[in-house]
Amino acid sequence: MSSISPGMLKNWVPLKMEESLVEWLYTGDKTFTEPFFNDTILACRNFEENFKPYKVVSIADMMNEWCGEINSLDPSAIIFHVSRCGSTLLSQLLSLDEKHIVLSEVPFFDELLRLPYKKDTIDIKIADNYLRAAIKFYAQKRSGKETHLFIKTDSWHLHFYKRLRNLFPSVPFILLYRNPAEVILSHQKQRGMQSVPGLIEPAIFGFSKRCLEETNLDLYIANVLETYFEKMVEISILDPLILLINYEEGINSMMKKICHCTGIDLTAKTKKQFEERIRFDAKHSQQLFTKDHRNHNLPDFLLPVIELYKNLDEMSSNKHSIA
C-alpha cells in the first residue's frame, strides 16, 4: 500500500531489514536519551504495539516513498569518533535538552551503511537512499519543540565519510579523537566490536582476511585506530566543514565548541544538568566517573598511530575550522 497518512507513520521507525522487507518498531512518545540506541529499542519493546503476534513489515522501497510525509529535522551535526573519546557522554549531555534529538549509534543506520559489504548485489546508491529515508523517520518531531538533530556514528563509520558527506553536503562533521594509548587501555577493560577480528567486515578497514587470524587484540585495535587517524587526517585536509576536538581538552571545552558550531544557546538549567551528568560514567549513568590512567610504556606497534595522533593534533591547532 503506497497511500498512507502522516498520522499512520507517526512514532514508527524502520528497525531492520530481511531481504527486501523492513521490520518496523513503534517508539511512542519515548525520547531517545539512552547512551546507545540499542537501549532505546529495548525500552520500546514494552509498548503494546510491539507485542503483537505478528511483525509490522513493509517493502524496503516504501521507506523512500513514505518519508516524504514525515515532519522531521535535518541533521545539525554528525559526530564521528575513534571510540572511547567522550562521544557517548557528549551525546548524553546533548540529549538532556528536550529541543534536541540525539541518535546515538543507531543499529539500522549501521546496517544500511554496511549492507553493500554483506550483499554484493546491493547498489550503494540504493542503500544510501534507504539511509536518507530512515534518518527522516528517526528524526521525527514528536513534541514540536525540537530544533536540533545530532547523529552520533559508530567509530568505523569514519570509513563511510564520503557517502555521508554526499548525503549531507552542508552539515558540520565533528571529529572526536583521543590519545591512542588511552583508547587501547579502555578497550582492554571492555572490548568494542571494532577491536575483535571478524565482528566488523575487514574490508571496511582495508584489511585482508588474514587479519582475522590476529590473536593479539591490542595489535588488532592499534591497526584499526591507525586507519581511523589516517582517515581523520585525510578528512581534515579535504573538508572545510569539520570540527576537530581532542578529548584532552576536557568535556566542558568539547561541549562549548559543539554548541558554538551548531548555534546552541545553553540555559542556566541545562548547564546545571550538564554539571551533574558529567560526574557519572557515560555508559553507566549510576556509576561515578573514573579516569583511565595512561600506560607510558608503549609497545612498538603503537608508534605509527601515535605519530598520526600527533599530526592530527597539530592540524587541529593550525586549522581554521567551522568553530
Side-chain angles (χ1 to χ4, degrees):
M1 181 177 68
S2 60
S3 178
I4 191 166
S5 69
M8 295 172 65
L9 299 169
K10 185 174 174 59
N11 297 334
W12 287 88
V13 298
L15 181 63
K16 57 185 178 181
M17 288 188 67
E18 293 288 344
E19 298 301 329
S20 61
L21 297 178
V22 169
E23 179 184 343
W24 293 77
L25 178 78
Y26 182 71
T27 60
D29 57 0
K30 180 79 180 69
T31 53
F32 305 151
T33 56
E34 288 74 18
F36 301 101
F37 208 85
N38 264 328
D39 301 320
T40 303
I41 291 171
L42 289 175
C44 291
R45 291 288 191 190
N46 293 321
F47 288 124
E48 181 181 353
E49 288 81 355
N50 299 318
F51 266 117
K52 304 294 183 183
Y54 50 83
K55 295 179 180 180
V56 177
V57 299
S58 74
I59 297 174
D61 287 343
M62 299 313 299
M63 284 193 299
N64 297 332
E65 183 171 340
W66 291 342
C67 73
E69 304 293 336
I70 295 296
N71 182 19
S72 63
L73 292 176
D74 293 325
S76 302
I78 297 179
I79 301 172
F80 296 84
H81 58 97
V82 299
S83 77
R84 314 303 167 86
C85 59
S87 62
T88 301
L89 181 55
L90 284 171
S91 64
Q92 285 280 280
L93 295 179
L94 289 167
S95 70
L96 290 173
D97 193 322
E98 64 179 354
K99 296 191 298 294
H100 301 163
I101 299 174
V102 181
L103 304 175
S104 183
E105 301 187 10
V106 176
F108 192 59
F109 298 171
D110 180 50
E111 181 179 357
L112 293 176
L113 285 169
R114 292 164 61 192
L115 195 58
Y117 287 88
K118 296 175 180 293
K119 299 179 181 179
D120 53 13
T121 58
I122 295 291
D123 185 89
I124 288 178
K125 289 184 178 180
I126 293 176
D128 287 350
N129 285 337
Y130 289 159
L131 178 59
R132 182 188 288 109
I135 288 173
K136 285 184 174 294
F137 280 98
Y138 280 84
Q140 292 180 63
K141 292 184 179 181
R142 289 176 168 78
S143 68
K145 298 178 181 179
E146 299 90 345
T147 58
H148 288 74
L149 168 65
F150 296 91
I151 299 175
K152 178 199 163 191
T153 66
D154 289 287
S155 65
W156 53 91
H157 293 170
L158 274 163
H159 293 297
F160 298 105
Y161 156 78
K162 287 185 179 179
R163 287 172 60 185
L164 290 165
R165 178 50 86 202
N166 287 336
L167 286 174
F168 303 106
S170 60
V171 172
F173 283 4
I174 297 167
L175 276 56
L176 307 180
Y177 64 101
R178 184 181 185 182
N179 187 301
E182 295 180 353
V183 176
I184 288 180
L185 178 60
S186 178
H187 279 284
Q188 287 173 343
K189 295 178 179 179
Q190 183 177 0
R191 299 284 176 181
M193 284 180 61
Q194 70 276 26
S195 70
V196 180
L199 294 187
I200 304 295
E201 294 80 5
I204 290 176
F205 304 115
F207 295 164
S208 67
K209 290 186 177 180
R210 288 188 62 185
C211 290
L212 299 182
E213 301 171 3
E214 179 58 63
T215 57
N216 185 333
L217 295 183
D218 288 346
L219 174 57
Y220 184 80
I221 187 59
N223 290 333
V224 169
L225 289 174
E226 190 171 345
T227 72
Y228 287 173
F229 279 92
E230 285 174 343
K231 181 59 67 173
M232 281 196 172
V233 169
E234 175 190 332
I235 294 170
S236 299
I237 294 171
L238 298 175
D239 197 329
L241 290 177
I242 64 144
L243 175 60
L244 279 168
I245 306 180
N246 189 337
Y247 177 85
E248 293 291 334
E249 298 180 32
I251 199 68
N252 286 323
S253 174
M254 297 168 75
M255 192 68 194
K256 183 178 179 181
K257 285 187 174 183
I258 291 176
C259 289
H260 178 73
C261 168
T262 55
I264 294 174
D265 293 321
L266 297 179
T267 65
K269 177 184 177 181
T270 303
K271 289 179 180 179
K272 186 176 181 180
Q273 289 176 313
F274 284 179
E275 291 299 323
E276 177 62 21
R277 182 63 185 87
I278 62 177
R279 294 176 52 238
F280 296 89
D281 186 86
K283 298 176 176 63
H284 308 286
S285 60
Q286 304 304 314
Q287 298 178 14
L288 289 173
F289 172 74
T290 56
K291 189 173 182 179
D292 295 327
H293 296 287
R294 187 185 309 174
N295 182 0
H296 294 279
N297 298 318
L298 302 178
D300 289 343
F301 63 72
L302 198 55
L303 297 180
V305 68
I306 289 290
E307 193 61 31
L308 285 167
Y309 164 73
K310 292 177 180 178
N311 292 343
L312 189 65
D313 220 24
E314 184 177 353
M315 294 178 71
S316 179
S317 299
N318 296 332
K319 186 178 178 62
H320 177 69
S321 71
I322 54 177

